[in-house]
Amino acid sequence: MIAGVCGGIGRRLGVDPVILRVVVVVLTFFSGAGLVLYAAAWLFLPSDQTKPSVLTNALSPTSTDRTRSVLTAVALAAVLAVAVIVVLGGGFVTGFDGGFVPGLLIAIVVVVALLVVRRDANPVSPPGQPAYGPSTAGLASTTAAPYASTSAITEPTVVTGSGAEPTVELGTRTGQQTGAVDPTLTMQRPSPTGAPAPVTSPMTAQWDPPFDQPPPPPYGSGQLPPPKPRRERSYLGLLTLSAMLAVLGVFALVDLSGVAVPIAGYVVAALAVVAGGLVLGAWIGRSRGLIGLGVLLGLALGPAVLADAVVGPGWRDWQNADDIRVAPRAPDELSPAYEFGTGSIRLDLTELDFEGEDVATMIDLGAGEVIVTVPDDVDVVVDAAVGLGDLIILDRRSSGFEPGDTFTDLGADGAGGGRLELSIDLGLGKVEVRRATS
Amino acid sequence: MRRHELDVVSLVFGLVFATVALLWPLWRLDLIDGNSLSWIPAVALVAIGLLGVTLSLLRSRRSADELERAEDEAGARLD
């Protein structure tokens, strides 16, 4: 722990900070994204409920410890910049095989989640919530204290007691648990959502912990707090969701009418509508709640694209290839296309008499294994694409997400001796094209 | 729904999602390949991030000015 970021976030979200630390460390090892995330959180998040973030402090002309904050902010920004360069550099050198894409995605998602939570953390208090007095503020500072001193064992206790508990019970309950619970049993303690919250609903209590509300400023200092503007009810979120449903319905109708719509098409359409609602919300109405939905859709896009790659748009028409073995002897015995859902296709062309001619075929498989054996002297042009898996074309191996390319090999005798054009499209699995002798 | 002051967070995330939604059909129609696809999010992040930084700084300066003005007025009233 360096700046208590994990502990603070954990306290806010009601999550065990140990889990967050593990996530950060894992992300750091995989792609460096954890480091970026930690520095960003340090920079942008408020250091405590009542204090502004380091960055706000540095930019504010009225803050007391401005010089120190400016220094910290500059240093952190530098670390952030270096880490971003390292992460991006490593990711782009190795392309999809690198850890950049998932690592950065996760980092973005967590930052977004924090933004959304921070927005929800200071709305107008819902009716029925206990009033916040100076005692609450005192309690908040005492619960915050363990986070400042490194102690992974006592922290979960505070988390358990803080989020979902009404103010009145907070002190006693926290005390009981700290005394009673064996440190080794820390992880088995009930989650904060499971704790009783008689006054407000568990959700409200969790996302809106009592000490989120800053204590009322001391009155009589001459400065009255500005009156809170009444928020006008906004229908933009509802409008966007309705439009999204309508668009999805249209896509489903198109799909049913016979034009195949890829799975990712639905996701992207919904995402586009959400994007429109958000851009609109920048000027009229409020629509920040759509950010969470957009993130979910963005995350769903990856699996959707992968699913499209595996099953393909025409998957309904495909039958499964249990174990197809084809060994044609003449060019007209070779089918122009082999299309199957799942299974194994072995195409043995070693007995095929090319007679110096051009022969072409296509293999389209959803998931499974494609093995093509070609004669030694035939010129081979392979255009292969795999959604996810291995590609071994004439001893050249590539793997990962979306390996694919066009390969040309003239064989043992150079140009001539017949020519084979192979087009292979596999969603998930392994493609291998090999010479008869190798 | 009334017009309000520019909401930077909404705008930035709207643009991010719009970028993603725009990239997929381009990739699907083979107008861009996987290699350039991995560059575009990075460039888009830089552009959108810089936009957010600029707008936030502009806003923070403006609110600081407003605070100063309010304090001046309060001081004048006290005098």
Side-chain angles (χ1 to χ4, degrees), chain A residues 59 92 96 104 108 112 115 232 234-236 262 264-265 268 271-272 275 278-279 281-285 287-288 291 294-295 301 305 308 313 402, chain B residues 1-11 13-15 17-18 20-22 24-25 27-28 34-35 37-39 42 45 57 60 64 67 71:
Chain A
L59 291 176
F92 284 129
F96 277 115
L104 194 71
I108 290 172
V112 166
L115 269 175
E232 189 197 353
S234 171
Y235 295 96
L236 185 57
V268 164
L271 190 62
L278 275 169
V279 170
W283 285 279
I284 58 163
S287 59
R288 279 194 188 180
I291 293 175
V295 169
L301 189 56
V305 168
D308 282 329
E402 297 251 321
Chain B
M1 286 175 285
R2 208 179 300 156
R3 252 186 108 82
H4 55 69
E5 209 182 337
L6 178 65
D7 180 2
V8 179
V9 175
S10 244
L11 182 63
F13 278 98
L15 290 179
F17 296 148
V20 174
L22 187 74
W24 179 80
W27 172 75
R28 181 87 190 170
N35 190 30
L37 200 64
S38 60
W39 282 89
L45 277 181
L57 285 180
S60 116
L67 188 72
E71 277 173 355

Side-chain angles (χ1 to χ4, degrees), chain B residues 60-77:
Chain B
S60 116
R61 181 169 300 171
R62 203 187 321 159
S63 56
D65 286 351
E66 276 167 13
L67 188 72
E68 211 168 289
R69 213 176 305 127
E71 277 173 355
D72 286 350
E73 280 173 17
R77 223 176 298 135

Side-chain angles (χ1 to χ4, degrees), chain A residues 28-373:
Chain A
T28 305
F29 274 109
F30 269 95
S31 61
L35 204 63
V36 182
L37 203 63
Y38 197 94
W42 191 353
L43 195 56
F44 291 112
L45 293 183
S47 59
D48 204 342
Q49 308 303 333
T50 52
K51 284 189 218 149
S53 74
V54 170
L55 190 65
T56 318
N57 230 3
L59 291 176
S60 160
T62 53
S63 73
T64 46
D65 51 352
R66 193 181 170 196
T67 321
R68 197 174 141 259
S69 288
V70 167
L71 286 177
T72 321
V74 168
L76 284 175
V79 170
L80 208 59
V82 170
V84 165
I85 289 167
V86 168
V87 170
L88 294 190
F92 284 129
V93 170
T94 51
F96 277 115
D97 291 337
F100 159 66
V101 176
L104 194 71
L105 255 182
I106 295 167
I108 290 172
V109 169
V110 174
V111 168
V112 166
L114 287 174
L115 269 175
V116 174
V117 170
R118 284 193 64 198
R119 183 188 71 93
D120 289 343
N122 10 272
V124 188
S125 300
Q129 206 150 8
Y132 306 114
S135 61
T136 319
L139 201 58
S141 59
T142 53
T143 51
Y147 288 91
S149 63
T150 317
S151 173
I153 300 164
T154 55
E155 276 164 8
T157 313
V158 180
V159 169
T160 313
S162 61
E165 294 301 313
T167 316
V168 195
E169 286 179 20
L170 184 57
T172 53
R173 208 186 148 86
T174 308
Q176 280 167 4
Q177 290 191 349
T178 317
V181 174
D182 184 339
T184 54
L185 296 174
T186 306
M187 296 306 286
Q188 295 166 6
R189 209 166 295 134
S191 71
T193 41
V199 181
T200 57
S201 74
M203 278 309 285
T204 323
Q206 191 190 346
W207 296 106
D208 203 7
F211 49 73
D212 264 358
Q213 212 74 8
Y219 290 99
S221 60
Q223 256 190 324
L224 284 172
K228 216 159 204 174
R230 236 184 121 254
R231 297 177 87 187
E232 189 197 353
R233 195 178 156 79
S234 171
Y235 295 96
L236 185 57
L238 190 64
L239 178 78
T240 311
L241 286 178
S242 310
M244 194 178 83
L245 290 182
V247 168
L248 288 179
V250 169
F251 270 59
L253 285 176
V254 170
D255 207 352
L256 286 174
S257 73
V259 183
V261 176
I263 300 168
Y266 287 96
V267 180
V268 164
L271 190 62
V273 177
V274 167
L278 275 169
V279 170
L280 209 60
W283 285 279
I284 58 163
R286 277 186 312 277
S287 59
R288 279 194 188 180
L290 295 172
I291 293 175
L293 183 60
V295 169
L296 286 180
L297 288 169
L299 284 178
L301 189 56
V305 168
L306 199 61
D308 282 329
V310 171
V311 297
W315 60 279
R316 289 187 192 88
D317 307 327
W318 290 352
Q319 54 184 141
N320 285 345
D322 284 336
D323 197 0
I324 302 283
R325 291 176 192 279
V326 188
R329 292 173 174 276
D332 59 344
E333 285 178 25
L334 185 69
S335 165
Y338 298 91
E339 291 182 328
F340 294 99
T342 59
S344 155
I345 299 178
R346 282 160 197 266
L347 191 58
D348 185 355
L349 302 178
T350 45
E351 301 297 316
L352 178 63
D353 185 5
F354 278 79
E355 299 161 352
E357 280 181 47
D358 282 10
V359 174
T361 188
M362 193 183 93
I363 299 172
D364 204 338
L365 184 67
E369 188 183 50
V370 176
I371 298 179
V372 181
T373 314

